Amino acid sequence: MIKVDNIRKRFGEEEILKGITTTFDKGKTNLIIGQSGSGKTVLLKCLIGLFQPEEGLIYFEDKILQEMNEEEHRVLREDLGMLFQGGALFDSMTIEENVMFPLRMFTTQKKSEMLERVNEVLKRVNLENVNKKYPAEISGGMQKRVSIARAIVNNPKYLFCDEPNSGLDPKTAIVIDNLIQEITHEYNITTIVVTHDMNSVMEIGEKIVFLKNGTLVWQGTNEEIFKTDNEDVTSFVYSSDLFKKIRDIQIKEQ
Amino acid sequence: MKYLKDIGSYFLMLKRVFSSFTKSAVLKKLIFKEIDDLIIGSMPIVAFISFFVGGVIAIQTALNIDNPLIPEYLVGFATRQSIILEFAPTFISIIMAGKVGSFITSSIGSMRVTEQIDALEVMGINSLNYLVFPKIVALLLYPFVIAVAMFLGILGGWVAGVYGGFSTSAAFIQGLQEDFIPFHIIYAFIKTFVFAFILATVPSWQGYFMKGGALEVGKASTTSFVWTSVLIILANYIVTQLLLS
């Protein structure tokens, strides 16, 4: 479980996060949604320690991120898995080396044991026979899956995903979404996904946090989001023609 | 004010480069990779330029001597002095600022743009130690490159001087040995170590702290070349003033 308590973050004069308080549940896929510029990625980067919030506290279970010493930070980072928007695979390394990287850095396993684990997670993300290829030699969807494999190879407690579907076709996007949800349940981890893709909201949003201009304006489940009266949320949800048509059909049927 | 901020951030970067060390087995691999990329990969161009510029120095010197009282061995002497004192350490370092410096800036800059540096940081790895320290260690071998440049420059001068009919082999070799001051070699290698540190760290700083996308990576590479060259020229002046004056 991750809890954020009154997080504020500024860049210069501009306040990007204006006192956000919420909880991200363990064993669930938690989604942070909102329009571009709403502060989703900034919140995510505060959670993973890439940005330091000016105010507020972040709790990982019962420990406060800002009060951790260097050793506690190191231990926490070993428990974090991150899927970046572009995959962020190391392009000078093969797929196998990329996935093996966290094991090489943080474990004392033998190479054969590491290879076994790498093959296991690559199989889990439905990728085989790509071990010796370089990231540039595989498709965007495959890169995302390799990135997921790298994120889970060291059995993390927390998985963070920044726009996992960006740049993917709808079918591949669903595959990635389902994979994230399956892994979340299988490993019982706290997963936080930043997205503005409504398909993801429908597919995997077990808890949804909606941000607008750096403020949390709504939170709930993927069933509740279609029933809410909150105008900010409804204007976001029904901004696409497809969802508008679905809503119209539902209204007619009623 | 911006320059002061940049200088501050450069020294803060250096502090972080030498802290929170990456696992030694991983670092060893990275260092060998950097030696391959930065040192061995630079040898062909350094060898080519050194040999031919050495030849040109010998020819230019010979063509400018029309006084019969000036001894013939001056061709070898001038070639040796030019190459050991300035051409090999300084001129080759400027070329390396273009080749190695741009490579370092663009490779680290690309990692910044594609969030690979963020990925390292999220994993709890000191990205500056992981990326920059192996380059500094690899460039400790840079004096070897300069030694090769000195040897090939003088060889090029000998070939051009002797086979071009500008000097006899004996006179050229006499010139190489005439008034030889061993401290000049030490001076050249001290300069080389200073330049190696500049070559490893200034382009790394440019790449690491760049902001933007692919276009900015290109701009950062150009800026990196300019600043690395400027600092090499300034360091050259300061070291020469300190050691030779």
Side-chain angles (χ1 to χ4, degrees):
Chain A
M1 189 264 288
I2 299 173
K3 198 173 114 186
V4 292
D5 183 13
N6 196 29
I7 289 292
R8 288 177 185 275
K9 175 69 190 165
R10 276 182 213 92
F11 289 111
E13 294 295 302
E14 197 180 356
E15 192 171 39
I16 306 297
L17 299 179
K18 298 166 184 166
I20 291 181
T21 301
T22 188
T23 315
F24 300 104
D25 302 329
K26 189 179 179 184
K28 281 187 183 172
T29 316
N30 301 272
L31 265 56
I32 304 172
I33 64 168
Q35 290 178 324
S36 299
S38 58
K40 308 184 294 291
T41 301
V42 174
L43 176 59
L44 188 83
K45 289 193 172 176
C46 286
L47 294 174
I48 58 177
L50 286 179
F51 291 155
Q52 302 299 322
E54 275 83 29
E55 278 178 49
L57 297 172
I58 298 168
Y59 295 80
F60 281 83
E61 310 306 333
D62 53 347
K63 287 190 174 172
I64 298 170
L65 179 68
Q66 289 89 338
E67 292 175 4
M68 285 181 188
N69 60 32
E70 208 170 304
E71 178 59 17
E72 286 171 323
H73 265 286
R74 192 189 61 75
V75 172
L76 173 68
R77 287 190 183 282
E78 286 180 32
D79 286 333
L80 303 184
M82 174 80 194
L83 169 60
F84 283 90
Q85 196 169 351
L89 297 174
F90 303 120
D91 32 41
S92 60
M93 296 182 194
T94 62
I95 299 307
E96 185 178 279
E97 288 166 341
N98 261 288
V99 179
M100 198 187 283
F101 189 78
L103 298 177
R104 277 175 59 208
M105 298 305 291
F106 302 117
T107 69
T108 50
Q109 289 176 17
K110 287 179 190 163
K111 196 172 180 190
S112 56
E113 291 170 331
M114 289 194 266
L115 266 176
E116 199 180 318
R117 176 67 182 149
V118 167
N119 288 328
E120 191 185 317
V121 288
L122 281 175
K123 200 174 171 188
R124 180 66 196 81
V125 297
N126 305 317
L127 276 177
E128 282 171 278
N129 304 321
V130 294
N131 292 38
K132 300 295 173 197
K133 289 189 174 176
Y134 283 88
E137 295 171 338
I138 59 174
S139 69
M142 288 165 96
Q143 285 183 19
K144 289 276 167 76
R145 280 190 273 166
V146 174
S147 192
I148 293 172
R150 185 178 68 182
I152 62 169
V153 72
N154 209 13
N155 292 316
K157 286 183 188 165
Y158 312 98
L159 178 64
F160 298 91
C161 309
D162 186 13
E163 307 271 7
N165 296 336
S166 76
L168 299 180
D169 64 88
K171 208 172 170 182
T172 311
I174 290 169
V175 171
I176 298 294
D177 278 344
N178 290 337
L179 192 58
I180 289 169
Q181 191 169 43
E182 283 165 20
I183 284 166
T184 303
H185 294 159
E186 202 175 306
Y187 292 81
N188 193 28
I189 53 183
T190 308
T191 297
I192 300 177
V193 180
V194 162
T195 186
H196 47 62
D197 181 0
M198 278 310 295
N199 288 323
S200 298
V201 173
M202 284 179 70
E203 286 278 333
I204 60 169
E206 292 171 285
K207 173 164 185 184
I208 300 157
V209 169
F210 183 85
L211 300 188
K212 189 187 176 191
N213 298 329
T215 312
L216 194 156
V217 294
W218 183 88
Q219 52 187 330
T221 66
N222 58 355
E223 285 171 8
E224 290 164 351
I225 199 167
F226 293 100
K227 295 172 187 164
T228 179
D229 296 332
N230 187 303
E231 277 182 26
D232 293 322
V233 178
T234 50
S235 72
F236 177 80
V237 170
Y238 298 111
S239 56
S240 90
D241 281 347
L242 179 65
F243 281 92
K244 265 184 210 161
K245 279 176 187 167
I246 292 170
R247 183 181 56 176
D248 294 344
I249 292 166
Q250 281 174 339
I251 291 167
K252 273 181 193 171
E253 282 174 355
Q254 283 165 7
Chain B
M1 193 64 191
K2 187 189 172 291
Y3 290 125
L4 275 179
K5 206 176 157 189
D6 286 350
I7 291 166
S9 108
Y10 172 76
F11 284 105
L12 285 173
M13 178 194 85
L14 291 183
K15 192 181 157 198
R16 273 196 65 204
V17 167
F18 294 100
S19 63
S20 306
F21 275 76
T22 307
K23 220 172 161 181
S24 58
V26 177
L27 264 186
K28 201 170 87 182
K29 269 193 169 180
L30 289 169
I31 289 168
F32 280 116
K33 191 183 170 297
E34 297 295 355
I35 289 173
D36 189 34
D37 285 343
L38 307 179
I39 301 292
I40 298 170
S42 303
M43 291 307 285
I45 186 73
V46 168
F48 177 80
I49 292 172
S50 303
F51 185 82
F52 285 99
V53 172
V56 170
I57 290 171
I59 293 169
Q60 294 271 22
T61 309
L63 290 178
N64 283 288
I65 299 171
D66 45 14
N67 187 332
L69 294 175
I70 296 176
E72 196 185 339
Y73 69 72
L74 188 77
V75 178
F77 177 82
T79 306
R80 183 199 76 200
Q81 288 297 84
S82 308
I83 284 173
I84 288 178
L85 292 175
E86 281 311 314
F87 169 74
T90 312
F91 189 56
I92 289 292
S93 295
I94 300 290
I95 291 164
M96 290 287 271
K99 189 195 176 289
V100 168
S102 300
F103 170 73
I104 291 173
T105 304
S106 57
S107 58
I108 296 181
S110 301
M111 287 185 76
R112 169 63 73 201
V113 170
T114 54
E115 297 180 305
Q116 292 176 47
I117 292 177
D118 286 345
L120 287 169
E121 290 289 329
V122 170
M123 286 182 212
I125 295 159
N126 176 359
S127 56
L128 279 168
N129 177 263
Y130 181 88
L131 294 170
V132 185
F133 183 74
K135 290 176 175 53
I136 294 173
V137 176
L139 280 167
L140 288 176
L141 293 178
Y142 183 54
F144 170 72
V145 176
I146 297 305
V148 170
M150 286 175 181
F151 173 76
L152 288 175
I154 290 170
L155 181 70
W158 179 81
V159 169
V162 174
Y163 292 97
F166 300 104
S167 167
T168 63
S169 178
F172 191 92
I173 290 168
Q174 188 196 346
L176 292 182
Q177 294 168 340
E178 199 70 30
D179 284 335
F180 177 67
I181 302 167
F183 182 71
H184 283 177
I185 299 281
I186 296 169
Y187 154 75
F189 283 122
I190 290 173
K191 281 207 300 195
T192 304
F193 274 112
V194 175
F195 298 161
F197 191 76
I198 293 171
L199 278 171
T201 55
V202 174
S204 296
W205 180 82
Q206 290 281 353
Y208 193 86
F209 291 102
M210 65 143 291
K211 288 188 175 91
L215 185 66
E216 281 73 17
V217 174
K219 282 181 187 168
S221 297
T222 312
T223 316
S224 157
F225 171 67
V226 172
W227 277 109
T228 309
S229 307
V230 166
L231 289 174
I232 285 172
I233 299 292
L234 279 176
N236 185 34
Y237 173 77
I238 293 166
V239 173
T240 306
Q241 185 77 26
L242 287 173
L243 297 180
L244 292 189
S245 66

